[in-house]
Amino acid sequence: MEIVQEQRLGAVHRKPREGCGRTDCACALPVSERFVLWALRQWQQDRALPHEGSILHRGFKVAGVLDALPDFAIAMDAFLFGARRAMEIHRPTCSSVSRDEAVLVALCGLAQADHDRPLLASLDIMMAPTASRVAAIRLKAFAVALAGAGLRIAPAAGAAGGRLN
């Protein structure tokens, strides 16, 4: 009986979840993950290598990762043409995060944390082998650039793949 009461007390003292409380809402994501989500959605809408002055180009420039824009675009093209099924990527204004979007953000975290084996294994399941290699190389370059700009997505040490579930 005492153990149950102690567990309840611990639950009361926990920090409340930030955001609106919906489990699939983008409002609770850290800024770094929101940036990746925004970039995915903006690329989906434009579907081309962003030109100077485009929304995606300006966003990458403001974030300090303009040099990584080609890597990002090539990785997304690999997903577009090499994925085993169509990816569900929402419009930029949508507040909910699709399962595919969450996986792509998590893959960026794996790439950033040098968890290459789980990254490649996940990509091999999702894509044709040649496309997965291209996606892995370009996703890694993009994720490293994000980390260099202070946008950390990487999972905690030892947690590789934990976010994919």
Side-chain angles (χ1 to χ4, degrees), residues 85-96:
R85 62 173 179 77
M87 304 295 288
E88 182 185 356
I89 299 175
H90 294 234
R91 294 176 158 247
T93 56
C94 184
S95 65
S96 65

Side-chain angles (χ1 to χ4, degrees), residues 29-141:
L29 294 175
V31 170
S32 56
E33 293 182 11
R34 283 189 199 188
F35 179 79
V36 173
L37 181 64
W38 169 83
L40 292 169
R41 291 174 174 187
Q42 198 59 52
W43 172 85
Q44 174 75 13
Q45 189 161 338
D46 295 346
R47 291 269 177 110
L49 184 60
H51 55 66
E52 189 171 340
S54 70
I55 293 172
L56 198 55
H57 185 274
R58 288 191 319 247
F60 271 64
K61 187 174 182 179
V62 168
V65 292
L66 187 56
D67 289 343
L69 183 54
D71 291 314
F72 172 78
I74 292 169
M76 294 302 101
D77 283 346
F79 278 106
L80 176 66
F81 297 111
R84 297 187 192 278
R85 62 173 179 77
M87 304 295 288
E88 182 185 356
I89 299 175
H90 294 234
R91 294 176 158 247
T93 56
C94 184
S95 65
S96 65
V97 179
S98 75
R99 183 174 173 88
D100 290 334
E101 291 170 331
V103 168
L104 290 171
V105 171
L107 291 173
C108 286
L110 291 174
Q112 221 178 54
D114 290 327
H115 293 299
D116 295 337
R117 283 188 178 181
L119 173 65
L120 285 170
S122 298
L123 289 171
D124 283 343
I125 291 169
M126 298 170 63
M127 310 172 77
T130 53
S132 70
R133 299 298 177 257
V134 170
I137 291 166
R138 297 307 180 139
L139 207 56
K140 178 89 173 183

Side-chain angles (χ1 to χ4, degrees), residues 142-165:
F142 169 63
V144 167
L146 289 176
L151 296 169
R152 299 289 307 164
I153 303 166
R163 296 170 56 137
L164 295 177
N165 296 326

